[in-house]
Amino acid sequence: MPQLPRRRAWLAAPALMPIAARAQETDAAPRAALEALIGLARPLGGKLGLRVTVDAPAGAWHLAHEEARPLFVGSATKSFILAAYLLAVERGEASLTEQWEVEDAVRSPSSAILEGLRGTMAARFVLEAMISHSDNTATDMAMKRVGVDAVRDVIARAGLRDVRVASSTRRMVSY
């Protein structure tokens, strides 16, 4: 299998979903779908654990490989931060147009998008920098605004009992 950069490999993962869907239609195919997913991840090195869960009209199903293995999920926590903020928007407690201060207290190393920026920025653009560009300064700005407890609540509501999230990427990287 060709070596793929980490992000490109995971962006390719949705292409395997039809394989996984066919795997659920026949009893013989699940192992092949699981092996295809493992084959995609293996060139990335390190420990491997995965679980693909689909809530399909015909019923929910999943494929898993060492799903209980504790793993560092890195930037995947950004999706929980976004979800917590969007829930606050739905409740009328936040707005995508509100201005957030870009300040040194939340500035993270290797955050090229917001590097050197001073002043304020609309929440919508901070969230875009966090999700689209994986900017850790934007991540800490969003975490500061929504609060780590709200993010942990989203994780708990999703039933992810073993997922842990740091209170800031800046703090996590410093460990």
Side-chain angles (χ1 to χ4, degrees), residues 23-117:
Q24 294 306 308
E25 293 170 5
T26 68
D27 291 335
R31 188 72 200 159
L34 184 58
E35 288 174 8
L37 287 168
I38 293 168
L40 180 67
R42 186 162 282 127
L44 302 175
K47 296 177 181 174
L48 174 64
L50 62 88
R51 177 180 169 124
V52 175
T53 300
V54 176
D55 188 10
W61 54 268
H62 78 272
L63 297 173
H65 172 74
E66 296 195 39
E67 64 185 304
R69 177 184 288 215
L71 297 171
F72 175 70
V73 295
S75 290
T77 58
K78 293 172 181 172
S79 60
F80 301 123
I81 296 168
L82 176 62
Y85 188 75
L86 292 176
L87 287 169
V89 169
E90 282 185 353
R91 292 189 303 267
E93 300 168 359
S95 162
L96 292 172
T97 58
E98 69 184 61
Q99 295 292 306
W100 293 352
E101 187 175 356
V102 183
E103 57 182 337
D104 288 342
V106 294
R107 198 169 305 283
S108 289
S110 73
S111 291
I113 303 301
L114 301 184
E115 180 181 14
L117 185 65

